[in-house]
């Protein structure tokens, strides 16, 4: 009886810890346990406890626990000393770090950090929703723009986005999608912007870029949110109609990823502007990698502002400031071009020395001087969630659609190359990438559409979607072989291959976004208690700080204990009792596994922050792996939501399982990397015991499942269409991708006739060599019917065009200026 009682007490204590119970509940449980144990109830000796030496000694820790449940005693003995200690050792958060932390909003990332995610919060995010006007724009002007694009001519022929394309995007408002209708823009949602950019990207990364930049981190958004009334009324209609082309200049030679260290400076002074003495700024700057710079008429410029004469305030160091300068303003040097990976979109440097600009050029006017970093961080939190994730997702879908078509059309060893086991593996990877990238893109864009600025999620989305796109492009190149590496008008892979490194590098290089931003920022912003503790410890009013620190500290202690017990319980039981939302049917098991994984992540993340503290920034391998783990949780959860939003199509279930298995396996390996390499032995042992009590038992999706999902997409149908929705799809046989679509349909129609012909060739009845009409022989010998022979001839012609590679006269490949010089010399001779 006593053993059962103690077991029940332990179970109750464990359950309380998992549920993050208040201190008084532990005290009550401890006091009740002591009372029952000391009373002799199990021996029938009465109700009241006996106060012998052992009972009294056992009572002392119980009384101490009860004392800690009294707020005033707890505050004196524990909270106040902890508060004083943390205030002394906590490093000061710099102004730029504080502004970055304050930028953006906290969303579902906080649920994943909590260890007990509320799946209904994610499922409540609206599915893909476009207004009638937005859908008409996607199906109308966007489709028309895609049909206008000649990717080869842009990349090779002109090495420039042609003026008719510029004129079209200006005329139809592509450059002002986010500007409100009242100011001349389209006023589209984040979801619409994402889908429009994606469709254009599936046709041409260069054209997508000229549309993307004005609608991402650019002057338009900054002016609409922070500009003066005069700036809004003048510039926004002009930007919306394309009368102005903007660029934004942030990066310089010494300030790349660490943009806060920019050396570009402005000094508040007085100067002459439009013939009159004016309060303004003398600017010197040197910027590079500025997209749209060579074509820009307006230059957004970030710089560090100083006011030594105190002309606008009482501070010498005003801070980072953003101004909008006409490109033709005296002293502005602009127009030279970089060649980023040979891409054709305009990109180049700009610079100036001692250029005087009036104070009215500062976005938001004088009152916003020094607030530039906050402005940039807030805009980037939303923009980074839309621009590159949309283009990377569209690229992955295009790679899948074109590669599955080519893999079914192209044959080697008597078999479509896409059906070879060695090539099934990269094709399965491409299916997963297309599915999860689109799932996460849709959810994140929907968050932005309803007003969120998910700074942590936008960071992981940027680096994860572009990295997965890089793998998809490489997989596509592998399957196409020589067909993919020979550039020309019919090469539909080359532009994506060239653009991938650009996406990896811009808007925060992936390697630093992964190792320095995603988890480090996420741990502070999304942890349920950490940021509250930091804010309390840095409060100027220590009395108020202590009052705020106490609930945060107590909550954090309960959270940490709960993570240990919860992670251990769910990992021992294999997640069988983890939370899953109701009415999810076939995907309930994957929700449970994600809940289990979230508990493990919360434990490891919390211990990492507690143990490493201020040294977290230097442990970038650790933070990078934790960023990967967080990413897998979010993206896999989005994949489950996509399945529901699509109406739970049964044909997609194998794809969902493939994505879930691989996502959870990669999550496991990321956490295992953290634990195996954690610098503190005690924390490492605790993590391993709780996260892997039975070992790392998850495995990636099996080969048979990969085979199954590849079969689904190797033929035209609803699954392939759903996986590649909302990209540009041509049916024109004179277009490289249109030729693929038409040929694939014909190949599927001729499948039975091809089998008959192949059997006859293997038997030796028909010879298939150059100079022999083997299809005619097959018809004459009764192997195929006349209609089948006609179809086979059509397929043969189309297939030959699909697998052909471009070739050129050497003169065609010389740059235009060299060709012109050659022609002039030839004429002179």
């Amino acid at each position: 009886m006593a053993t059962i009682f103690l077991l029940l007490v332990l179970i109750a204590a464990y359950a309380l810890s998992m549920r993050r119970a208040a201190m008084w509940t532990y005290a009550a449980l401890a006091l009740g346990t002591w009372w029952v144990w000391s009373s002799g109830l199990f021996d029938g000796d009465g109700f009241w406890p006996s106060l012998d030496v052992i009972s009294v000694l056992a009572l002392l820790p119980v009384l101490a626990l009860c004392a800690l449940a009294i707020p005033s005693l707890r505050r004196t003995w524990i909270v106040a000393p902890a508060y004083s200690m943390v205030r002394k050792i906590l490093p000061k958060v710099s102004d730029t770090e504080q502004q970055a932390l304050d930028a953006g909003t906290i969303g579902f990332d906080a649920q994943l950090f909590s260890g007990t995610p509320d799946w209904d919060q994610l499922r409540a995010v609206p599915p893909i929703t476009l207004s009638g006007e937005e859908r008409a724009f996607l199906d109308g002007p966007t489709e028309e723009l895609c049909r206008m694009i000649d990717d080869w001519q842009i990349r090779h022929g002109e090495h420039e986005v042609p003026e008719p394309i510029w004129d079209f995007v200006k005329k139809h408002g592509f450059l002002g999608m986010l500007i409100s209708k009242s100011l001349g823009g389209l006023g589209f949602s984040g979801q619409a912007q994402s889908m429009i950019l994606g469709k254009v990207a599936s046709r041409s990364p260069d054209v997508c870029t000229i549309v993307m930049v004005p609608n991402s981190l650019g002057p338009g958004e900054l002016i609409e949110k922070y500009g003066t009334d005069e700036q809004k009324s003048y510039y926004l209609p002009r930007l919306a109609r394309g009368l102005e082309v903007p660029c934004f200049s942030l990066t310089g030679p010494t300030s790349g990823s660490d943009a806060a260290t920019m050396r570009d400076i402005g000094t508040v002074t007085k100067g002459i502007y439009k013939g009159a003495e004016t309060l303004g700024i003398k600017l010197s700057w040197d910027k590079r990698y500025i997209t749209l710079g060579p074509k820009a008429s307006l230059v957004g410029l970030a710089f560090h502002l100083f006011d030594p004469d105190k002309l606008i305030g009482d501070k010498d160091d005003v801070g980072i400031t953003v101004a909008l300068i006409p490109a033709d303003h005296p002293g502005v040097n602009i127009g030279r071009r970089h060649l980023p990976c040979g891409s054709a979109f305009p990109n180049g440097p700009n610079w100036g020395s001692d250029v005087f600009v009036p104070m009215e050029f500062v976005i938001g006017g004088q009152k916003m001087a020094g607030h530039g970093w906050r402005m940039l961080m807030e805009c980037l939190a939303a923009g980074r969630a839309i621009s590159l994730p949309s283009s990377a997702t569209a690229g992955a879908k295009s790679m899948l659609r074109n590669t599955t078509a080519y893999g079914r059309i192209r044959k080697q060893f008597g078999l479509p190359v896409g059906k070879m086991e060695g090539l099934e593996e990269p094709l399965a990877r491409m299916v997963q990438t297309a599915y999860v990238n689109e799932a996460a893109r849709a959810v994140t864009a929907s968050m932005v559409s309803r007003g969120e600025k998910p700074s942590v999620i936008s960071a992981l989305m940027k680096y994860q979607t572009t990295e997965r796109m890089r793998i998809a492009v490489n997989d596509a190149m592998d399957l196409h072989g020589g067909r993919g590496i020979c550039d020309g008008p019919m090469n539909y892979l080359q532009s994506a291959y060239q653009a991938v490194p650009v996406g990896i590098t811009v808007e925060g290089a992936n390697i630093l976004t992964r190792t320095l931003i995603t988890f480090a920022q996420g741990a502070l912003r999304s942890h349920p208690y950490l940021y509250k503790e930091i804010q309390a410890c840095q409060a100027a009013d220590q009395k108020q700080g202590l009052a705020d620190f106490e609930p945060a500290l107590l909550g954090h202690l309960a959270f940490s204990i709960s993570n240990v017990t919860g992670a251990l319980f769910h990992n021992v039981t294999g997640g069988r009792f983890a939370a899953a939302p109701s009415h999810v049917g076939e995907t309930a098991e994957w929700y449970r596994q994600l809940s289990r994984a979230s508990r493990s992540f919360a434990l490891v993340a919390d211990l990492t922050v507690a143990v490493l503290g201020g040294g977290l920034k230097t442990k970038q391998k650790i933070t990078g792996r934790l960023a990967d783990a967080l990413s897998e949780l979010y993206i896999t959860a989005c994949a489950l939501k996509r399945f529901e939003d699509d109406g739970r199509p049964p044909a997609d279930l194998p794809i969902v399982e493939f994505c879930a298995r691989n996502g959870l396996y990669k999550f496991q390996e990321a956490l295992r990397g953290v634990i195996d390499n954690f610098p503190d032995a005690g924390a490492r042992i605790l993590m391993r015991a709780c996260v892997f009590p039975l070992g790392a038992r998850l495995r990636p999706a099996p080969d048979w499942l990969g085979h199954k999902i590849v079969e689904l997409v190797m033929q035209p149908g609803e699954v392939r269409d759903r996986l590649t929705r909302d990209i540009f799809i041509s049916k024109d046989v004179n277009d490289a991708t249109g030729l693929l679509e038409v040929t694939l349909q014909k190949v599927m129609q001729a499948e039975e006739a091809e089998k008959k012909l192949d059997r006859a060739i293997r038997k030796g009845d028909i010879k298939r060599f150059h100079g022999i009409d083997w299809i005619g022989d097959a018809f004459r010998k009764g192997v195929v019917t006349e209609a089948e022979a006609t179809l086979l001839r059509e397929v043969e012609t189309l297939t030959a065009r699909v697998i052909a590679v471009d070739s050129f006269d050497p003169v065609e490949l010389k740059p235009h200026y060299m060709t012109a010089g050659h022609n002039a010399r030839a004429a002179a001779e």
Side-chain angles (χ1 to χ4, degrees):
M1 192 65 183
T3 302
I4 294 174
F5 173 71
L6 285 177
L7 181 61
L8 291 175
V9 168
L10 289 174
I11 292 173
Y14 203 95
L16 288 175
S17 68
M18 284 183 62
R19 298 181 66 84
R20 304 173 192 174
M23 183 73 74
W24 67 266
T25 58
Y26 291 101
L29 178 63
L31 186 60
T33 301
W34 176 85
W35 187 284
V36 171
W37 190 261
S38 301
S39 66
L41 281 175
F42 294 123
D43 300 324
D45 294 338
F47 176 76
W48 298 102
S50 58
L51 297 178
D52 53 29
V53 175
I54 295 177
S55 295
V56 171
L57 290 176
L59 181 61
L60 295 178
V62 173
L63 293 176
L65 186 60
C66 292
L68 292 179
I70 301 172
S72 58
L73 294 178
R74 181 176 63 233
R75 189 174 302 116
T76 301
W77 294 351
I78 296 179
V79 178
Y83 181 68
S84 298
M85 180 183 69
V86 174
R87 277 181 65 92
K88 292 177 183 177
I89 64 175
L90 190 68
K92 176 68 177 175
V93 178
S94 69
D95 289 340
T96 53
E97 288 176 320
Q98 187 66 51
Q99 290 177 42
L101 288 172
D102 292 339
T105 57
I106 303 169
F108 192 70
D109 44 317
Q111 293 292 320
L112 298 175
F113 269 90
S114 75
T116 54
D118 179 1
W119 298 117
D120 289 334
Q121 180 177 318
L122 178 68
R123 297 170 74 213
V125 175
I128 297 173
T129 304
L130 297 182
S131 68
E133 184 181 4
E134 290 169 340
R135 175 56 69 178
F137 192 91
L138 183 67
D139 296 338
T142 308
E143 180 80 11
E144 187 177 351
L145 173 61
C146 290
R147 287 197 300 268
M148 290 174 61
I149 293 169
D150 184 335
D151 183 62
W152 171 249
Q153 186 65 20
I154 290 173
R155 289 191 296 110
H156 181 80
E158 299 186 34
H159 211 85
E160 178 66 88
V161 177
E163 286 304 316
I165 297 291
W166 277 102
D167 292 341
F168 186 89
V169 299
K170 291 175 181 180
K171 175 184 176 182
H172 290 277
F174 281 87
L175 304 187
M177 286 191 286
L178 293 186
I179 296 173
S180 60
K181 289 185 178 181
S182 61
L183 292 166
L186 296 178
F188 282 174
S189 65
Q191 186 74 266
Q193 179 197 3
S194 176
M195 296 176 71
I196 291 164
L197 289 175
K199 191 165 191 174
V200 178
S202 70
R203 187 62 163 165
S204 167
D206 290 304
V207 178
C208 177
T209 300
I210 72 168
V211 175
M212 177 195 304
V213 171
N215 290 287
S216 184
L217 178 59
E221 186 177 11
L222 291 167
I223 292 172
E224 181 148 25
K225 292 185 178 179
Y226 309 107
T228 63
D229 290 340
E230 293 79 8
Q231 289 170 340
K232 291 178 182 178
S233 61
Y234 179 75
Y235 281 118
L236 290 178
R238 293 177 62 80
L239 288 166
R241 295 196 300 270
L243 299 177
E244 304 279 6
V245 174
C247 69
F248 191 79
S249 306
L250 178 61
T251 302
T254 60
S255 54
S257 297
D258 188 9
T261 63
M262 67 179 68
R263 297 179 185 177
D264 312 288
I265 65 167
T267 304
V268 180
T269 186
K270 292 184 178 181
I272 303 300
Y273 178 66
K274 293 184 178 180
E277 186 177 68
T278 305
L279 180 66
I281 302 168
K282 185 168 68 174
L283 281 169
S284 293
W285 76 93
D286 184 10
K287 302 291 189 180
R288 65 182 182 185
Y289 310 147
I290 310 306
T291 300
L292 300 195
K295 292 279 291 187
S297 61
L298 284 175
V299 179
L301 183 67
F303 57 91
H304 206 126
L305 182 61
F306 295 90
D307 185 17
D309 297 327
K310 309 294 190 295
L311 296 177
I312 63 171
D314 57 2
K315 293 194 301 182
D316 175 69
D317 186 347
V318 180
I320 294 174
T321 301
V322 180
L324 190 61
I325 307 170
D328 59 1
H329 188 76
V332 176
N333 295 282
I334 195 167
R336 293 186 63 82
R337 293 188 61 162
H338 302 307
L339 292 177
C341 292
S343 296
F345 65 85
N347 182 281
N350 64 74
W351 67 96
S353 179
D354 293 335
V355 177
F356 179 77
V357 302
M359 192 62 68
E360 67 186 56
F361 282 9
V362 173
I363 295 180
Q366 181 176 317
K367 68 178 183 180
M368 293 305 292
H371 293 279
W373 193 244
R374 174 173 63 84
M375 295 159 61
L376 296 175
M377 291 299 100
E378 288 181 353
C379 289
L380 186 62
R384 191 163 52 188
I386 295 293
S387 56
L388 287 167
S390 66
S391 56
T393 296
K397 291 189 287 189
S398 294
M399 292 300 105
L400 177 64
R401 189 169 189 97
N402 296 334
T403 304
T404 50
Y406 186 81
R408 179 62 185 84
I409 296 166
R410 174 66 161 159
K411 287 186 175 182
Q412 291 285 273
F413 308 105
L415 188 70
V417 295
K419 293 190 175 184
M420 296 179 179
E421 276 207 359
L423 291 171
E424 268 189 356
E425 187 174 3
L427 277 172
R429 224 174 8 243
M430 293 171 72
V431 171
Q432 178 179 351
T433 298
Y435 193 88
V436 301
N437 269 19
E438 169 60 15
R441 182 215 62 79
V443 171
T444 309
S446 188
M447 291 175 178
V448 174
S449 292
R450 62 181 189 174
E452 295 183 37
K453 299 176 182 177
S455 55
V456 175
I457 288 174
S458 70
L460 75 83
M461 279 293 294
K462 187 271 171 181
Y463 96 80
Q464 281 285 343
T465 55
T466 53
E467 287 293 344
R468 290 169 192 239
M469 168 62 176
R470 169 155 58 180
I471 296 170
V473 170
N474 287 339
D475 285 338
M477 294 291 284
D478 284 348
L479 187 139
H480 282 77
R483 174 68 176 80
I485 64 173
C486 291
D487 203 3
M490 297 303 289
N491 191 322
Y492 41 81
L493 301 181
Q494 192 66 217
S495 59
Y497 191 77
Q498 287 180 209
V500 160
V502 179
I504 297 293
T505 304
V506 300
E507 285 195 8
N510 281 5
I511 195 164
L512 292 182
T513 301
R514 171 181 179 263
T515 58
L516 282 177
I517 297 176
T518 304
F519 177 76
Q521 187 176 2
L524 286 176
R525 289 301 313 276
S526 305
H527 190 286
Y529 302 103
L530 184 60
Y531 193 42
K532 296 175 184 176
E533 292 168 319
I534 292 174
Q535 287 180 311
C537 288
Q538 295 191 342
D541 183 346
Q542 291 193 33
K543 184 176 180 181
Q544 183 60 47
L546 178 60
D548 294 338
F549 182 75
E550 181 172 9
L553 175 65
L554 295 177
H556 195 161
L557 289 173
F559 174 70
S560 298
I561 294 170
S562 173
N563 287 336
V564 171
T565 55
L568 179 60
F569 174 77
H570 287 304
N571 285 313
V572 166
T573 59
R576 290 178 179 82
F577 304 99
S582 57
H583 309 300
V584 293
E586 312 93 323
T587 57
E589 171 61 17
W590 302 120
Y591 276 112
R592 282 193 287 271
Q593 292 305 319
L594 283 176
S595 293
R596 169 193 178 187
S598 178
R599 274 283 196 176
S600 296
F601 175 76
L603 167 66
V604 175
D606 188 44
L607 274 175
T608 298
V609 172
V611 174
L612 298 183
L616 193 64
K617 290 181 180 179
T618 65
K619 298 296 183 183
Q620 294 167 18
K621 294 177 183 177
I622 296 290
T623 57
R625 293 181 182 115
L626 284 165
D628 290 343
L630 176 64
S631 300
E632 294 300 337
L633 286 176
Y634 177 71
I635 290 172
T636 305
C638 289
L640 299 184
K641 174 175 165 52
R642 172 182 177 170
F643 179 69
E644 296 178 44
D645 289 345
D646 286 350
R648 297 192 178 106
D652 287 4
L653 263 177
I655 299 173
V656 174
E657 181 178 354
F658 189 86
C659 296
R661 286 185 181 277
N662 284 339
L664 288 164
Y665 173 75
K666 289 169 71 176
F667 168 84
Q668 170 190 275
E669 294 306 287
L671 274 201
R672 185 158 68 161
V674 172
I675 295 170
D676 288 349
N677 294 280
F678 203 78
D680 183 88
R684 185 168 63 247
I685 292 170
L686 177 60
M687 289 177 186
R688 186 175 289 124
C690 293
V691 176
F692 300 122
L694 305 177
R697 306 185 68 178
L698 295 178
R699 296 292 179 266
D703 290 346
W704 66 263
L705 189 56
H707 172 76
K708 189 172 184 178
I709 68 172
V710 169
E711 279 193 322
L712 289 172
V713 297
M714 283 290 289
Q715 56 188 335
E718 62 170 13
V719 175
R720 184 168 178 264
D721 290 342
R722 194 160 46 242
L723 279 167
T724 58
R725 65 192 179 200
D726 297 314
I727 61 172
F728 177 72
I729 298 173
S730 172
K731 297 297 176 66
D732 180 0
V733 293
N734 294 313
D735 177 90
T737 58
L739 177 63
L740 276 176
E741 293 293 320
V742 172
T743 306
L744 176 62
Q745 293 286 346
K746 293 293 183 179
V747 165
M748 298 307 298
Q749 293 173 23
E751 191 170 26
E752 288 304 316
E754 277 196 311
K755 289 179 180 177
K756 296 177 184 178
L757 180 60
D758 287 341
R759 284 196 294 268
I761 291 171
R762 284 197 299 272
K763 289 180 180 178
D765 297 337
I766 304 293
K767 304 295 183 183
R768 184 156 53 187
F769 298 110
H770 288 303
I772 298 176
D773 180 10
W774 57 83
I775 296 176
D777 286 348
F779 169 60
R780 286 188 289 273
K781 293 180 179 181
V783 175
V784 295
T785 65
E786 183 177 6
E788 288 174 328
T790 301
L791 180 58
L792 286 171
R793 290 189 189 280
E794 187 177 5
V795 167
E796 182 182 29
T797 301
L798 290 170
T799 299
R801 291 179 61 191
V802 165
I803 67 175
V805 295
D806 296 289
S807 61
F808 306 89
D809 186 296
V811 175
E812 294 180 80
L813 300 180
K814 292 183 181 293
H816 292 315
Y817 70 88
M818 292 182 66
T819 304
H822 169 82
N823 292 338
R825 286 193 299 274
E829 292 173 359

